[in-house]
Amino acid sequence: MNSEHETAAASSDDLNLKSCCANVYQSDLARLLLGESFHPGGTVLTEQLGSLLRLGPDKQVLDVAAGQGTSAIHLAQRFGCHVRGIEYSALAVERATEAARAAGVDKLVTFEQGDAEHLPVPAASYDALICECAFCTFPNKSIAAAEFLRVLKPGGQVGLSDLTRNVAAVPADLQGLLAWIACIADAQPLESYVRYLTQAGLTIQMLEPHDEALAEMVKAIQGKLLGVELLVKLNKLQLPGEIDFAQAKAMAKSAAAAIQAHQFGYAVIIALKP
Ligand SMILES: C[S@@+](CC[C@H](N)C(=O)[O-])C[C@H]1O[C@@H](n2cnc3c(N)ncnc32)[C@H](O)[C@@H]1O
């Protein structure tokens, strides 16, 4: 899969990739390994993003690839803003909607199934847009960036956080489908995220490294993988389908080594629609 192919029509490979990514992140295993927040830094980093975007009760926010809705709900609780979450997985949308109801913020936070590359919202309708740990999984990043620009009001801002790659090529053992879904295989150099956003017409306002958040997240996943494997072996936990724990542990180990060697990091980017 090559992220540079920029055809307007979605290929069947692209559609498969999006569904596959959505299926993995809506799985019980993903929640066991990642918790509710599916990005490095969790809600702490989301809140920092909210502060950088100066969110408040008067702001309309779009959360692109909203996952289980944790960030959208947290931002509404913390800043009182209205948040609409767009997410490819219908099941995740259902869960996020229920979570917003349970948290008592369903008047502020709503979710809808949709594709980041064809956002189901009108032009110039949002003050801010967040996209956490998901842009790197979009097959057509130029179209997604153009969508960000389209849906923002003039003066609106993007708060993007994502995996960064500091080596010319992703190591061979981090290139498979699992690595793609885990956001590693198509992690971009920081300059490349900047290029996608600026080519779409956005102006970069701030770049902030958060490599330590990624290292902590991978360390936590390694620990949880061991725990989940043990529970499955002891028949104390049943997961649908066969999990290749050896493959998952090997990939997590390679990822941890690559992060320690500064081959991968995590960064926050704030950009403005002029
Ligand atoms: C790593 S998770 C991040 C979820 C959420 N932003 C968070 O930080 O908790 C990536 C999410 O992107 C969603 N996703 C992937 N491709 C998408 C697309 N083209 N449009 C909308 N959502 C997408 C997946 O279903 C998954 O929920």
Side-chain angles (χ1 to χ4, degrees):
M1 177 65 63
N2 171 11
S3 69
E4 297 298 331
H5 65 153
E6 304 293 0
T7 53
S11 73
S12 65
D13 272 0
D14 288 357
L15 292 177
N16 285 341
L17 194 61
K18 288 173 193 171
S19 307
C20 197
C21 180
N23 284 339
V24 169
Y25 280 106
Q26 72 183 17
S27 69
D28 291 339
L29 184 63
R31 284 195 294 173
L32 276 172
L33 295 179
L34 297 168
E36 293 302 319
S37 199
F38 288 1
H39 62 267
T43 48
V44 173
L45 194 54
T46 300
E47 195 165 322
Q48 285 179 27
L49 208 52
S51 298
L52 289 167
L53 295 169
R54 295 199 192 86
L55 298 184
D58 54 331
K59 296 285 168 90
Q60 298 288 336
V61 182
L62 192 69
D63 181 358
V64 178
Q68 316 280 308
T70 308
S71 295
I73 293 168
H74 188 76
L75 290 177
Q77 287 173 325
R78 187 64 192 82
F79 298 98
C81 50
H82 291 256
V83 190
R84 185 151 185 84
I86 304 297
E87 165 55 49
Y88 202 80
S89 155
L91 181 58
V93 167
E94 241 175 70
R95 286 180 180 153
T97 304
E98 182 46 43
R101 199 173 301 128
V105 291
D106 49 324
K107 293 234 165 14
L108 289 178
V109 187
T110 55
F111 297 94
E112 184 183 343
Q113 189 185 15
D115 186 341
E117 295 172 13
H118 308 278
L119 289 170
V121 300
S125 47
Y126 286 89
D127 301 294
L129 176 155
I130 66 160
C131 183
E132 297 172 298
C133 204
F135 190 82
C136 66
T137 69
F138 302 154
N140 198 324
K141 296 174 178 51
S142 294
I143 288 194
E147 279 292 85
F148 291 2
L149 182 85
R150 180 184 70 82
V151 303
L152 282 173
K153 298 175 188 170
Q157 287 172 297
V158 172
L160 186 138
S161 75
D162 223 319
L163 223 78
T164 54
R165 166 166 59 87
N166 307 315
V167 278
V170 174
D173 54 346
L174 292 175
Q175 280 181 6
L177 180 62
L178 195 59
W180 185 287
I181 290 161
C183 302
I184 298 170
D186 206 32
Q188 303 286 309
L190 188 57
E191 316 81 74
S192 170
Y193 292 112
V194 165
R195 202 180 60 239
Y196 280 116
L197 296 176
T198 50
Q199 280 181 353
L202 293 151
T203 305
I204 302 299
Q205 293 185 301
M206 204 206 76
L207 304 171
E208 197 173 81
H210 284 276
D211 297 357
E212 73 301 333
L214 179 63
E216 277 163 29
M217 180 166 148
V218 171
K219 204 168 146 201
I221 290 174
Q222 284 183 295
K224 285 182 192 166
L225 259 176
L226 293 176
V228 170
E229 184 182 25
L230 186 65
L231 288 175
V232 169
K233 273 191 186 146
L234 294 173
N235 276 329
K236 298 234 156 101
L237 177 68
Q238 255 134 33
L239 292 169
E242 212 33 39
I243 309 294
D244 187 340
F245 281 104
Q247 189 199 14
K249 283 191 295 185
M251 207 188 80
K253 194 173 167 197
S254 297
I259 293 161
Q260 206 175 7
H262 303 291
Q263 294 181 338
F264 292 96
Y266 200 73
V268 164
I269 303 174
I270 306 291
L272 172 82
K273 174 170 176 172

